[in-house]
Structures are given as C-alpha cells and as structure tokens.
C-alpha cells in the first residue's frame, strides 16, 4: 500500500510541477490563473494527448484554448506553452546526456544511445533556431510569416504583432535570471518525479536497477516518445523501457510487469 501511495504521489507531483512550470513561463500573466486551474488544464491536455495519435498538437491547441478562456492573452498563452515544452525538452536531453556520460565508460555503447542522442540534438537545434529567429532575426521571421500569411489568406498584421510580442517576451525571459531558474527548476522536478515513479513501480515488483541504468532508460524512452506515431507513445515507450532495463541487469519479469503497470497508471 505504501508503494502504491508513493507512486500516486510521484505522478501527481509530476503534473503539479508541469503546471508550475507553465505558470512560471506565463510571467505576470500567471497571476490571472490559479495553480489548481492550471493543474486541471494540465490534466485535460495530458489526457487528450494520451488518446490521440500525434496528440501533442491537439493537446497544445486544447491547452491554448483553456488558458485563453481562463483570461490569459493569446500570445502569452502560446509563449508559455512553447516555453514550457522547449524548457522541458532541453532538461530531458540534459538528463539523458548526463546518464550516457556516466554509463558509457562502465557499460559500453549501445546503438540506441546514438539514435536517441541524434533525436535529442535535432530537438535542441530546432529549439535554438526558434529562439534565434524570435530574438535575433525578428525582421526575417516577420517577413517570412507575412509572406506565408498572404498565401493562406490570414491577417498578416495580426500575425506580425504576435511574432513581435513573442520575441519581446523571450528577450524578457532570457534577461530575467530568476525566471529562468524557476523554469529550469520546475522542468527538472517534472522529470525527476516521473523518474521516481518509474523506480517505485520497478521496486514494487522486486526489481533492482542502478541509478545510471534508470536515468538512461528513462531518458531514451522519453526522448523517443516525441516521435508522434502512437497515442501517448503507446508501445514505443514500453518497447524501449523494458529491453533497456533488462540490458542493465534487471530480470525480465519485474522489468516487464513494473513498466506495464507504471504505464497503465500513467495513462
């Protein structure tokens, strides 16, 4: 019972941390929305993303709609969702790379490590390009968006205003050291509690896993989960977790049952 309770606490804290991450990214606009409401928004978007293929797009649209209905201005809602997503992805890749640096000298190299690292690098490059485009290349980004808007018959002036607002918000975020620290702390806590939940489920079924193995398996599974093939990464995450954990020395039975039970509880 205590282990089940610990798993529920870790899962709840995971969602709460992501809610607080989004609130930090909202900046002053975060005062418009209570933490409880943000928690409910996070539950709704997480649930939608877990039942739809490529659910991240649908859950982002739902999150945007729920935030604007809660009184947050549209550009600020979009900025907060993007910042939370990018910040969370960056921290996840740092966790994975830390695990690989610790693990590879002692356990050798696996082909999956390189593939996941490449996916992580691509994500980091995309995030860097977006940040650079909004901060250093606003003029070019605005011209490109205006060109695209004219071809799809959208309000180019309105979209350009949004681009300028996002660029200004991003510059403010980069300049605000305390806000950056809050975003990093809540993004880190989000993944750490999720990793703790995995560990608790494995331990509940008698599994023993070294910390480097836990970090690498967790990082690989969640980095690969960004590939939008199945709802909530169903089948992909389990297909990476279980053989990776077994490769780190855990018996097949506790690894399989622990991960499947964790994913069932998560979904």
């Amino acid at each position: 019972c205590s282990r089940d309770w610990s798993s529920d606490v870790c899962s709840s804290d995971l969602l709460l941390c992501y809610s607080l991450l989004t609130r930090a990214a909202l900046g002053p606009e975060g005062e418009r929305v209570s933490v409880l409401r943000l928690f409910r928004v996070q539950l709704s978007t997480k649930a939608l993303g877990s039942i739809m293929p490529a659910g991240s797009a649908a859950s982002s649209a739902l999150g945007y709609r729920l935030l604007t209905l809660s009184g947050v201005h549209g550009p600020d809602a979009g900025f907060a969702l993007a910042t939370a997503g990018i910040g969370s992805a960056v921290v996840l890749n740092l966790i994975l790379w830390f695990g690989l640096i610790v693990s590879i000298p002692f356990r050798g190299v696996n082909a999956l490590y390189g593939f996941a690292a490449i996916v992580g690098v691509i994500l980091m490059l995309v995030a860097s390009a977006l940040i650079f485009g909004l901060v250093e290349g606003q003029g070019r980004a605005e011209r490109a968006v205006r060109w695209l808007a004219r071809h799809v018959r959208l309000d180019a002036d309105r979209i350009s205003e949004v681009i300028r607002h996002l660029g200004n918000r991003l510059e403010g975020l980069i300049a605000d050291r305390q806000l950056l620290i809050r975003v990093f702390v809540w993004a880190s806590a989000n993944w750490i509690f999720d990793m703790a939940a995995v560990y608790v489920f494995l331990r509940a079924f008698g599994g023993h896993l070294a910390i480097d193995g836990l970090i690498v398996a967790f990082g690989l599974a969640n980095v690969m989960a960004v590939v939008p093939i199945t709802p909530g990464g169903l089948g992909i995450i389990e297909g990476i977790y279980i053989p990776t954990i077994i490769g780190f020395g855990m018996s097949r039975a506790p690894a399989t049952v622990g991960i499947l039970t964790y994913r069932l509880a998560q979904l």
Side-chain angles (χ1 to χ4, degrees):
C1 290
S2 62
R3 285 174 178 168
D4 292 341
W5 176 83
S6 298
S7 303
D8 292 340
V9 168
C10 289
S11 300
S12 300
D13 285 343
L14 161 67
L15 295 173
L16 177 61
C17 288
Y18 202 90
S19 303
L20 292 170
L21 168 60
T22 306
R23 195 166 197 250
L26 281 169
E29 287 285 312
E31 300 300 324
R32 294 174 177 266
V33 191
S34 68
V35 174
L36 178 59
R37 186 171 183 85
L38 281 173
F39 184 75
R40 289 157 59 197
V41 168
Q42 174 64 13
L43 282 173
S44 301
T45 56
K46 183 73 172 177
L48 182 63
S50 296
I51 61 174
M52 294 186 65
S56 58
S59 61
S60 296
L62 175 62
Y64 178 86
R65 178 62 174 161
L66 292 175
L67 286 177
T68 53
L69 287 174
S70 302
V72 178
H73 295 115
D76 292 311
F79 174 80
L81 292 172
T83 301
I86 292 173
S88 183
V90 168
V91 171
L92 174 61
N93 277 278
L94 292 176
I95 290 173
L96 171 60
W97 293 341
F98 172 78
L100 293 177
I101 290 170
V102 172
S103 176
I104 288 175
F106 299 100
R107 301 178 186 270
V109 179
N110 186 296
L112 187 60
Y113 292 4
F115 185 68
I118 290 172
V119 172
V121 168
I122 292 173
L123 290 175
M124 297 284 279
L125 289 175
V126 170
S128 300
L130 289 172
I131 293 171
F132 180 82
L134 287 173
V135 175
E136 300 295 338
Q138 281 193 43
R140 291 188 295 273
E142 188 174 335
R143 287 193 296 272
V145 169
R146 280 184 174 276
W147 178 86
L148 181 62
R150 286 195 298 269
H151 283 75
V152 297
R153 297 184 179 183
L154 294 175
D155 187 345
D157 292 332
R158 174 60 178 165
I159 295 176
S160 296
E161 181 184 345
V162 170
I163 291 294
R164 288 194 295 271
H165 181 81
L166 292 177
N168 293 334
R169 283 296 309 275
L170 190 55
E171 287 179 351
L173 173 64
I174 294 172
D176 190 339
R177 185 67 60 84
Q178 289 188 341
L179 184 56
L180 272 177
I181 291 173
R182 286 170 59 197
V183 168
F184 178 80
V185 166
W186 289 123
S188 301
N190 167 65
W191 293 119
I192 289 170
F193 277 116
D194 198 8
M195 200 185 311
V198 176
Y199 178 78
V200 169
F201 273 97
L202 293 173
R203 287 284 294 162
F205 293 97
H208 299 275
L209 186 64
I211 186 65
D212 63 320
L214 176 65
I215 293 173
V216 171
F218 179 85
L220 289 173
N222 284 281
V223 166
M224 297 306 299
V226 303
V227 181
I229 298 176
T230 60
L234 191 64
I236 297 174
I237 293 178
E238 298 86 349
I240 294 173
Y241 259 131
I242 295 172
T244 304
I245 289 173
I246 293 173
F248 277 103
M250 184 178 291
S251 301
R252 182 175 298 275
T256 302
V257 178
I259 291 300
L260 293 181
T261 307
Y262 157 75
R263 288 288 285 157
L264 178 62
Q266 189 180 52
L267 292 170

